Amino acid sequence: MAVRSQLKTAFQVHQELSLEAAIHEVKNGQSQASAAKIYRISRTTLRNRLQNSTPSSVGAPTKFASHEEDRLAEFFLACSDQGVPLNRYHCLQIFSEVAIELGMQSTTFNDAFFNRFISRHPDVSLLITHASNRKKDREWTTELCEEYLSRLRSLFDRGFLERPEQVWNLDETAFDTSEMYDRVVARKGVNQIPSQFDGNEKECVTILPCGNAAGVQLKFMALYAGKVHVQSRLDDTFGLCYHAVNSSGYMDTVHFANYIRKEVFPAINELKVTKDDLLSHVVKLWYRTEGCTERYAFNVGQSLQSGFAKTGLFPFSPEVIRQTVKLHHDPQIIERGIRREIQQDFGPLINILKDQYNISAEKDLEDIKEFIQLKQKGITPGAVLANVMQKDLFGEAPKKQRRQVNRQLNTEPGALITGPEFVAELEKEDEKKKAEKAAVEAKRKAAAEKKKKNATKEKDESPTASKRKASNVKSLTSKKARV
């Protein structure tokens, strides 16, 4: 079990050096009493240290053995790495379950024990989580990453990723308005701990940022659900962002096209330009602050350049992009590592287990081989257990699907309508549209046929056509005469 290192005071260092000097004098023949008097240390302390050169720490022993605590800490960290972090309540429950399985007399644990457990393991800490949509996380898998890399390689080969001015990041993303957080056990030093949830996190607000790998950040657009603009939303924005509204709060073609025409196209000065719209939730795009007060000012260029580099977009790096697939995105990463076979000969080990330890059952031998292979791959038992729990919670990775088209019907003010009546009205509108479309198509075909007949008639009545026809008749007559 790891022990937290602490700096010692000058007095503590002096005491240890004096004790070591007294022990050295006693071993050279001096009496314990005189050595303790000369170096001003307790005779009891000197006698105990002579009897036991490596004394144990002062205090009662922990409830769990050191190796059991290490396994529990390893399991908690593996859960955090794979997107299922455990809070204080979960850890106390696991402590109790483990104590029951081990047959311990005391199976109750309180906050004091939990705090001491955290202090005994320097790699473990209590951190605050951030909200993360479980469905979206599971859509970014290893297979999708390789497909995305194949497209980027094609762009790289055609010269679209040579200069930073060519690489633009433009994509609508969710604006998290909910405060979903918790204090969980996680690895110390990690910046973000995902706390996944189900459902829609947009809250009818869509953000459309745009920037390139050279550090140029354009004005972003915030799209709200509603019918009118609200002035308070524009306060203190200093004209550095666009605000838009529509009925749903989701991006539509009109707003997207207007933003591209007004903001993006004027900023593009390269012939070959590529737009990334898959990893935009990874790149941190900061906004320009020209004209803002000093309180809100910061450098945007370095943040953009660093964001594109850390995600492997520019400079283009397939290995960096592959690392963006985390354990909480694709649970199959651990499973693929478990099932990856390492070619080696277990014959001598099996013979030793059978001859010296009387282990001959086929299942026991397979378990030992699997344990050795996991150790060789660096996969701990805690990671395997956390992976099983994660798969049970997540299930299969969902397929990305488009939202179902929501039909709308214009009715008179104050009208009441039921479900069957709504469907009937929509069917009438569809039939009417089909009839109108068929009439337009028939009219178009009739006009095209009439135009074709007129062209043929004019061609036949032209002087050139008459001369060609007379020449053909004369040629045919001369051929019959020769025959």
Side-chain angles (χ1 to χ4, degrees):
M1 180 173 58
V3 179
R4 186 183 295 274
S5 60
Q6 294 180 351
L7 294 177
K8 297 180 179 179
T9 63
F11 177 76
Q12 291 173 334
V13 174
H14 175 72
Q15 287 288 96
E16 291 184 0
L17 293 176
S18 300
L19 182 59
E20 292 177 0
I23 293 174
H24 179 73
E25 294 295 334
V26 171
K27 289 182 178 180
N28 290 336
Q30 193 172 4
S31 65
Q32 295 182 15
S34 60
K37 184 176 181 180
I38 294 173
Y39 292 99
R40 297 181 180 181
I41 59 176
S42 171
R43 286 184 293 176
T44 304
T45 302
L46 179 59
R47 182 175 63 253
N48 293 337
R49 183 60 64 88
L50 288 170
Q51 295 175 356
N52 183 12
S53 58
T54 57
S56 59
S57 59
V58 180
T62 58
K63 289 188 176 182
F64 294 113
S66 61
H67 66 280
E68 292 170 351
E69 278 207 358
D70 288 342
R71 290 181 179 178
L72 286 170
E74 172 193 311
F75 172 67
F76 295 156
L77 294 179
C79 288
S80 174
D81 294 339
Q82 299 187 38
V84 283
L86 305 177
N87 58 21
R88 182 188 301 262
Y89 174 73
H90 298 147
C91 294
L92 292 178
Q93 283 187 315
I94 292 176
F95 289 150
S96 298
E97 294 293 336
V98 173
I100 293 174
E101 290 293 330
L102 295 176
M104 297 173 58
Q105 294 182 354
S106 176
T107 59
T108 58
F109 299 85
N110 53 18
D111 291 343
F113 176 85
F114 177 79
N115 294 332
R116 290 194 299 268
F117 177 87
I118 296 295
S119 65
R120 287 193 293 266
H121 297 272
D123 294 335
V124 181
S125 179
L126 274 177
L127 301 177
I128 297 178
T129 62
H130 75 280
S132 179
N133 187 288
R134 177 177 290 123
K135 181 178 181 296
K136 284 192 174 182
D137 284 348
R138 292 300 312 280
E139 289 174 354
W140 182 235
T141 60
T142 303
E143 291 75 11
L144 185 60
C145 179
E146 293 299 328
E147 180 183 351
Y148 177 59
L149 280 175
S150 64
R151 298 179 182 178
L152 284 182
R153 286 194 186 96
S154 175
L155 294 173
F156 182 78
D157 296 338
R158 289 184 288 165
F160 282 84
L161 300 175
E162 294 178 351
R163 293 178 298 278
E165 292 80 10
Q166 294 176 293
V167 186
W168 286 81
N169 186 302
L170 170 65
D171 187 26
E172 59 181 282
T173 183
F175 181 73
D176 183 20
T177 58
S178 59
E179 295 183 357
M180 298 182 59
Y181 64 89
D182 192 7
R183 291 179 62 86
V184 296
V185 177
R187 196 178 302 275
K188 180 172 289 186
V190 179
N191 294 329
Q192 289 186 335
I193 310 298
S195 178
Q196 296 178 327
F197 64 94
D198 295 313
N200 179 31
E201 81 287 358
K202 281 194 173 181
E203 299 294 339
C204 297
V205 180
T206 302
I207 302 297
L208 180 63
C210 182
N212 67 7
V216 177
Q217 172 63 53
L218 305 183
K219 298 177 182 178
F220 71 94
M221 181 175 69
L223 180 63
Y224 297 88
K227 295 183 179 181
V228 295
H229 289 278
V230 181
Q231 184 178 2
S232 60
R233 295 172 181 168
L234 300 171
D235 292 341
D236 298 328
T237 59
F238 304 98
L240 298 177
C241 64
Y242 295 100
H243 283 247
V245 292
N246 63 5
S247 59
S248 63
Y250 294 94
M251 188 62 62
D252 54 35
T253 56
V254 176
H255 286 91
F256 186 79
N258 288 336
Y259 180 78
I260 294 293
R261 176 183 56 82
K262 189 173 182 179
E263 187 70 14
V264 179
F265 283 165
I268 295 177
N269 53 14
E270 289 285 340
L271 296 178
K272 294 182 177 181
V273 176
T274 180
K275 177 184 76 68
D276 169 65
D277 59 353
L278 188 56
L279 289 180
S280 61
H281 60 286
V282 181
V283 182
K284 298 295 182 183
L285 298 180
W286 302 102
Y287 309 123
R288 290 190 176 187
T289 55
E290 287 84 352
C292 293
T293 58
E294 185 178 356
R295 175 183 177 185
Y296 302 105
F298 51 86
N299 190 349
V300 57
Q302 294 180 356
S303 299
L304 276 174
Q305 294 169 0
S306 174
F308 277 93
K310 287 181 179 179
T311 52
L313 297 177
F314 189 88
F316 176 57
S317 175
E319 293 302 324
V320 174
I321 294 178
R322 288 191 180 97
Q323 293 176 4
T324 60
V325 184
K326 305 298 183 182
L327 293 177
H328 65 275
H329 293 151
D330 189 1
Q332 301 299 327
I333 295 177
I334 291 291
E335 186 173 352
R336 281 191 291 269
I338 294 173
R339 296 185 178 182
R340 178 172 55 87
E341 294 291 338
I342 299 178
Q343 299 298 331
Q344 53 188 326
D345 184 16
F346 286 96
L349 175 62
I350 293 176
N351 294 332
I352 293 175
L353 293 174
K354 290 181 178 179
D355 298 339
Q356 299 185 14
Y357 298 96
N358 196 24
I359 299 177
S360 58
E362 189 68 23
K363 184 178 183 305
D364 295 337
L365 296 175
E366 289 296 327
D367 292 342
I368 294 175
K369 288 169 57 177
E370 182 180 0
F371 176 77
I372 293 174
Q373 287 185 339
L374 290 176
K375 279 292 185 181
Q376 292 174 339
K377 299 170 188 175
I379 300 176
T380 62
V384 177
L385 181 59
N387 180 252
V388 174
M389 184 171 67
Q390 182 199 36
K391 290 181 62 178
D392 290 341
L393 292 175
F394 287 176
E396 296 296 330
K399 299 293 183 181
K400 188 170 183 178
Q401 298 178 353
R402 296 293 181 185
R403 296 193 306 272
Q404 184 179 1
V405 178
N406 193 13
R407 301 290 300 275
Q408 297 180 358
L409 181 66
N410 293 326
T411 59
E412 297 179 357
L416 300 179
I417 191 169
T418 62
E421 293 173 350
F422 187 90
V423 174
E425 291 294 332
L426 288 178
E427 291 178 351
K428 288 181 181 179
E429 284 192 359
D430 291 341
E431 292 295 333
K432 184 179 178 180
K433 290 180 181 179
K434 288 180 180 179
E436 293 176 354
K437 186 177 180 180
V440 172
E441 184 67 18
K443 186 177 180 180
R444 185 189 65 80
K445 288 184 178 180
E449 189 68 24
K450 184 178 180 180
K451 185 177 180 180
K452 183 177 180 181
K453 288 182 179 180
N454 292 337
T456 305
K457 185 177 180 181
E458 291 177 358
K459 185 177 180 181
D460 293 339
E461 293 177 353
S462 64
T464 305
S466 301
K467 290 181 180 180
R468 190 183 300 112
K469 186 176 181 181
S471 176
N472 292 337
V473 172
K474 185 177 180 180
S475 176
L476 182 61
T477 305
S478 61
K479 287 181 180 180
K480 287 183 178 180
R482 285 197 301 272
V483 173

